[in-house]
């Protein structure tokens, strides 16, 4: 039996009693899913994990995003999709993207199959004068939906939004001085814009969330262009109000997971090139979370 300690803030809880270097029982996993639906962001402190442990834990939530890779013998290598985020350079090149997620978004809203969970394992955390830097900030989309004025909820009910990967890419190039080249035609063809409901019923909580984010949402499809632009500006400002926000301050060996359907997030870029940050990451897609069998685990834990 795990212990779930809520932070007392608008998001977040610490999970105690789990050793993630070992498989979780179905009952414990159900408890984690239930807590994720309640608190959106879960921290498992003091975990000693290798890459295989991060993979085994992550894949329980669904398929891990990434191209399926094969080793030189043609054997599929699932661990290849456990990524690295870091500002460490080896032989002049970063060992993983140093600027991933450094503005508000939710992962994979630009895909047909949305993101469900992000799993991030903190290996090296930048510190200055003892203070941890490079936190991850979240905003609560259950609370943002609940707080919308009722005329806005009624007006937008049943509407859809288009999400486009290129929006975030161009924003990083234009506004954040990212060294990324423009997307190629081939990259654009691989990532065409997709459409999702603007208000989504969260499969775990059963409550509505505002499924929209400044990173990727470009259009509310059922509104004329000018009205869509104005409404998106309104929703982006609303969903980032301070009352919905929570920042996770990292410790080494924290394993952090968060719910992409019910939160949006950003990585805080407050550390320098010599202040090292090193994380392992799995981005898990929503391939299981809408399935009744999977949700049974949540019901049994409730
Ligand atoms: C991400 O957006 O996936 C990364 C968040 C972080 O590095 O804190």
């Amino acid at each position: 039996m795990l212990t779930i300690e809520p932070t007392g803030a608008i998001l977040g809880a610490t999970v105690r009693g789990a050793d993630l270097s070992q498989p979780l029982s179905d009952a414990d996993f159900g408890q984690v899913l239930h807590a994720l639906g309640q608190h959106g962001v879960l921290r498992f402190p003091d975990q000693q994990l290798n890459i295989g442990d991060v993979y085994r834990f992550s894949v329980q939530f669904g398929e891990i995003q990434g191209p399926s890779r094969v080793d030189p013998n043609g054997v599929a290598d699932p661990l290849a999709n456990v990524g690295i985020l870091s500002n460490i350079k080896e032989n002049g090149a970063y060992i993983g993207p140093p600027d991933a997620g450094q503005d508000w978004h939710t992962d994979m809203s630009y895909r047909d199959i949305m993101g469900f969970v992000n799993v991030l394992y903190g290996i090296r955390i930048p510190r200055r004068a003892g203070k941890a830097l490079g936190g991850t900030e979240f905003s609560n989309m259950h609370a943002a939906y609940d707080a919308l004025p009722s005329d806005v909820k009624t007006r937008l009910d049943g509407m859809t939004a288009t999400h486009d990967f290129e929006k975030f890419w161009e924003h990083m190039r234009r506004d954040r001085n990212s060294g990324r080249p423009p997307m190629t035609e081939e990259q654009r063809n691989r990532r065409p814009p997709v459409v999702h409901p603007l208000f989504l019923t969260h499969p775990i909580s059963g409550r509505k969330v505002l499924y929209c984010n400044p990173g990727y949402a470009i259009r509310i499809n059922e509104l004329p262009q000018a009205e869509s632009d104005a409404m998106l500006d309104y929703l982006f400002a609303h969903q980032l109000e301070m009352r919905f926000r929570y920042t996770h301050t990292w410790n080494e060996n924290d394993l952090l997971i968060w719910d992409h359907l019910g939160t949006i997030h950003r990585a805080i870029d407050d550390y320098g090139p010599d202040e090292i940050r090193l994380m392992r990451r799995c981005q898990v897609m929503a391939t299981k979370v809408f399935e009744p069998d999977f949700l049974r685990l949540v019901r049994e834990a409730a």
Side-chain angles (χ1 to χ4, degrees):
M1 184 80 179
L2 309 175
T3 306
I4 313 291
E5 287 173 9
T7 58
I10 188 87
L11 284 166
T14 298
V15 183
R16 302 207 185 269
D19 173 3
L20 301 181
S21 69
Q22 304 300 318
L24 280 182
S25 67
D26 276 2
D28 284 353
F29 183 60
Q31 206 186 342
V32 169
L33 284 175
H34 184 259
L36 191 62
Q38 299 288 307
H39 304 292
V41 180
L42 300 180
R43 165 179 176 249
F44 299 76
D46 302 321
Q47 301 292 323
Q48 305 298 324
L49 305 178
N50 61 33
I51 181 170
D53 299 328
V54 174
Y55 175 81
R56 186 191 53 246
F57 175 70
S58 304
V59 80
Q60 295 175 99
F61 294 93
E63 202 176 304
I64 294 175
Q65 195 264 337
S68 46
R69 303 208 182 102
V70 290
D71 71 13
N73 302 316
V75 177
D77 177 9
L79 299 190
N81 290 334
V82 182
I84 288 179
L85 305 182
S86 189
N87 57 351
I88 297 176
K89 276 187 175 170
E90 276 175 11
N91 304 320
Y94 289 111
I95 62 172
D99 61 355
Q102 288 182 350
D103 235 318
W104 288 100
H105 67 291
T106 197
D107 289 16
M108 289 177 283
S109 71
Y110 55 83
R111 304 266 305 242
D112 272 348
I113 301 181
M114 298 169 271
F116 169 36
V117 168
N118 217 356
V119 179
L120 216 59
Y121 180 49
I123 300 171
R124 290 182 66 183
I125 308 303
R127 287 178 193 279
R128 203 178 298 153
K131 184 175 172 289
L133 304 172
T136 309
E137 188 176 16
F138 299 91
S139 192
N140 183 330
M141 292 304 106
H142 282 93
Y145 173 82
D146 289 347
L148 281 173
S150 53
D151 60 319
V152 175
K153 284 182 184 159
T154 306
R155 170 108 178 92
L156 299 181
D157 192 39
M159 292 194 181
T160 60
T162 296
H163 298 246
D164 188 350
F165 180 72
E166 192 170 11
K167 181 183 182 190
F168 196 79
W169 187 276
E170 277 304 312
H171 164 64
M172 292 300 283
R173 278 169 39 77
R174 193 184 52 240
D175 307 323
R176 309 271 307 176
N177 212 15
S178 155
R180 307 167 189 215
M183 279 176 76
T184 62
E185 199 58 35
E186 194 267 331
Q187 282 173 313
R188 263 193 226 107
N189 292 339
R190 262 194 295 126
R191 293 265 179 275
V194 299
V195 172
H196 294 300
L198 191 55
F199 300 150
L200 197 67
T201 300
H202 194 285
I204 298 178
S205 69
R207 291 167 50 205
K208 282 198 179 159
V209 295
L210 173 58
Y211 191 72
C212 180
N213 67 87
Y216 299 116
I218 57 168
R219 178 75 204 256
I220 299 174
N221 300 307
E222 293 76 8
L223 296 179
Q225 182 74 55
E227 204 183 330
S228 163
D229 290 348
M231 183 57 83
L232 281 179
D233 284 349
Y234 168 79
L235 292 175
F236 296 153
H238 171 79
Q239 70 186 164
L240 289 177
E241 285 182 30
M242 292 310 289
R243 61 183 164 149
F244 306 133
R245 296 207 207 172
Y246 165 72
T247 298
H248 173 70
T249 303
W250 285 90
N251 275 309
E252 290 77 4
N253 304 323
D254 276 350
L255 187 290
L256 195 76
I257 66 174
W258 64 89
D259 165 25
H260 284 312
L261 304 174
T263 66
I264 63 174
H265 69 278
R266 65 169 178 155
I268 299 175
D269 169 26
D270 59 356
Y271 55 98
D274 298 327
E275 295 169 312
I276 298 300
R277 190 178 195 256
L278 173 62
M279 304 270 168
R280 282 215 174 273
R281 175 175 73 170
C282 277
Q283 295 165 290
V284 186
M285 302 190 296
T287 51
K288 285 186 179 173
V289 68
F290 292 97
E291 286 177 6
D293 260 7
F294 191 76
L295 293 171
R296 184 178 46 79
L297 293 173
V298 181
R299 278 198 308 279
E300 287 171 2

